[in-house]
Amino acid sequence: MGISSKTIGLHGDTLQIAIMQTPAARELVVGYALTSKKAKSFLQPKLRGLARKKGILFVAIDQKRPLSDQGPFDIVLHKLTGREWQQLLEEYREAHPEVTVLDPPGAIEHLLNRQSMLQEVSELDLSDCHGRVGVPKQLFVNTDPSSIPAAVMRAGLSLPLVAKPLVAKSHELSLAYDPTSLTKLEPPLVLQEFVNHGGVLFKVYIVGDAIRVVRRFSLPNVDEGDLSNNAGVFRFPRVSCASANADDADLDPHVAELPPRPLLERLARELRRRLGLRLFNIDMIREHGTRDRFYVIDMNYFPGYGKMPGYEHVFTDFLLSLVQKEYKRRPSYSSFEG
């Protein structure tokens, strides 16, 4: 965007007006700092191809060089951890406030720790929005494994319990059926009451204001017979995956029905505001036997968008909207000189 000036006469005096010109059409440059695995799954040919047609250029960031020596960027897209990277990015944000960073490192930290991850959800009141959303009872454990059964009893949690690593870098989880099995777990971790949900999980993808939902197969219901006949710790690599897509399966309509759209929109809007994030997903379940009782069991920053149907259109539209909002915030003229 450039600035031009125009001088006009005004009864013998001159008035110079500095006018902000409309930005010339050019590529939108998105610098990305992703792991090689993340870059491969996200920057698929269909995304790159559509981005080129829309004038969006993805450029890899060299993490060994100062960010200010690279670019210039309109947007920085990243999913890296570590204090050194966070410090580099925060310094870059301060030096280049005109660049949109997706998302602020401090805000991302909130979703990397399962002790704090669901705190904002637990404080929401969405009872007037076509359903109720909560979180399962959970307990943070950072103690000797032999003391876990007593801690669980004091907290009033009911078996079976889902055990998840405290740091949300791993999707692994375990299901513990009896008190003895709790002593075999490895802290630090979060224990979460298992809620029967018909074996279906709703993966809610958030991309700015856009919301997309897919159904995934999940862990099956647990009944009294299962508790009596099972003992020990059962480990799972993850609760759901793209290959377990349930959108086309022949499911009980009461289980398969998606959460109400108004509820999802309100939930996403509140979490975007509270977390300060624009790229994340919510894992939701519906309590089996109910229609309007939902639980958020996990959240992830910058999830596997490549598994979301039509993600390339949603994401490129989102990137373009960020730049349009930035131009709207700028003044139509800069100054008057007389």
Side-chain angles (χ1 to χ4, degrees):
M1 179 178 289
I3 300 177
S4 65
S5 62
K6 183 177 182 181
T7 303
I8 61 175
L10 186 64
H11 300 293
D13 295 323
T14 61
L15 175 65
Q16 187 176 54
I17 304 176
I19 303 172
M20 296 293 285
Q21 294 177 326
T22 302
R26 65 172 182 81
E27 285 184 314
L28 172 67
V29 182
V30 180
Y32 66 89
L34 307 170
T35 63
S36 57
K37 180 180 179 181
K38 190 69 177 180
K40 183 178 179 180
S41 67
F42 176 69
L43 295 169
Q44 297 178 24
K46 58 183 179 181
L47 174 63
R48 287 186 178 275
L50 182 62
R52 281 195 297 269
K53 291 180 181 178
K54 293 185 175 183
I56 302 171
L57 177 65
F58 288 101
V59 178
I61 290 175
D62 185 348
Q63 300 167 42
K64 298 178 181 179
R65 294 171 51 207
L67 280 173
S68 295
D69 293 348
Q70 303 179 61
F73 303 119
D74 297 292
I75 296 170
V76 170
L77 186 66
H78 72 104
K79 190 180 182 181
L80 297 177
T81 56
R83 292 188 178 277
E84 185 176 349
W85 168 252
Q86 289 185 18
Q87 184 176 349
L88 287 173
L89 198 53
E90 290 292 2
E91 291 174 354
Y92 180 78
R93 290 180 69 209
E94 291 180 8
H96 298 275
E98 76 282 2
V99 178
T100 300
V101 175
L102 296 170
D103 273 310
I108 295 171
E109 280 289 307
H110 198 86
L111 293 192
L112 298 183
N113 186 316
R114 286 198 168 95
Q115 187 179 7
S116 61
M117 177 190 291
L118 303 182
Q119 180 180 347
E120 297 295 345
V121 180
S122 66
E123 295 175 357
L124 292 178
D125 180 11
L126 305 182
S127 58
D128 61 341
C129 201
H130 304 275
R132 294 177 294 162
V133 178
V135 300
K137 288 183 182 178
Q138 60 180 35
L139 174 68
F140 165 61
V141 177
N142 187 21
T143 185
D144 179 62
S146 64
S147 65
I148 295 178
V152 166
M153 184 174 294
R154 286 195 301 271
L157 270 64
S158 301
L159 293 164
L161 294 174
V162 180
K164 300 179 180 181
L166 177 64
V167 179
K169 291 182 179 179
S170 170
H171 294 285
E172 286 189 10
L173 59 86
S174 304
L175 193 60
Y177 280 92
D178 63 289
T180 302
S181 65
L182 295 174
T183 64
K184 300 176 182 177
L185 299 174
E186 299 177 6
L189 50 82
V190 168
L191 294 175
Q192 202 174 76
E193 273 194 348
F194 182 81
V195 177
N196 281 336
H197 52 283
V200 172
L201 175 148
F202 303 106
K203 213 159 192 69
V204 184
Y205 291 97
I206 312 294
V207 184
D209 294 332
I211 302 171
R212 296 292 184 274
V213 187
V214 296
R215 301 178 189 86
R216 296 274 178 82
F217 285 115
S218 177
L219 302 181
N221 288 348
V222 175
D223 57 26
E224 291 296 330
D226 295 319
L227 287 174
S228 301
N229 298 323
N230 288 299
V233 176
F234 292 80
R235 303 188 186 280
F236 302 88
R238 59 194 306 145
V239 70
S240 72
C241 60
S243 61
N245 192 307
D247 278 337
D248 298 323
D250 184 16
L251 298 171
D252 180 340
H254 295 96
V255 171
E257 182 183 8
L258 295 178
R261 189 72 186 183
L263 181 69
L264 293 178
E265 290 175 350
R266 174 84 177 277
L267 177 62
R269 183 169 64 250
E270 288 291 335
L271 289 178
R272 278 197 306 267
R273 182 179 63 83
R274 289 169 175 256
L275 296 172
L277 297 174
R278 286 168 282 193
L279 301 176
F280 61 100
N281 87 284
I282 306 166
D283 288 348
M284 289 180 68
I285 57 175
R286 174 191 284 110
E287 185 174 352
H288 191 61
T290 74
R291 187 177 183 182
D292 63 354
R293 185 65 172 123
F294 299 93
Y295 291 90
V296 174
I297 59 172
D298 219 344
M299 292 195 289
N300 300 282
Y301 175 68
F302 202 151
Y305 286 117
K307 303 166 188 173
M308 182 181 84
Y311 89 104
E312 63 273 18
H313 294 279
V314 174
F315 215 94
T316 51
D317 287 347
F318 166 66
L319 293 175
L320 291 172
S321 72
L322 291 176
V323 178
Q324 291 168 358
K325 289 177 182 177
E326 174 62 25
Y327 285 137
K328 287 181 179 179
R329 283 197 294 266
R330 298 180 183 181
S332 56
Y333 57 86
S334 61
S335 64
F336 289 92
E337 295 181 297

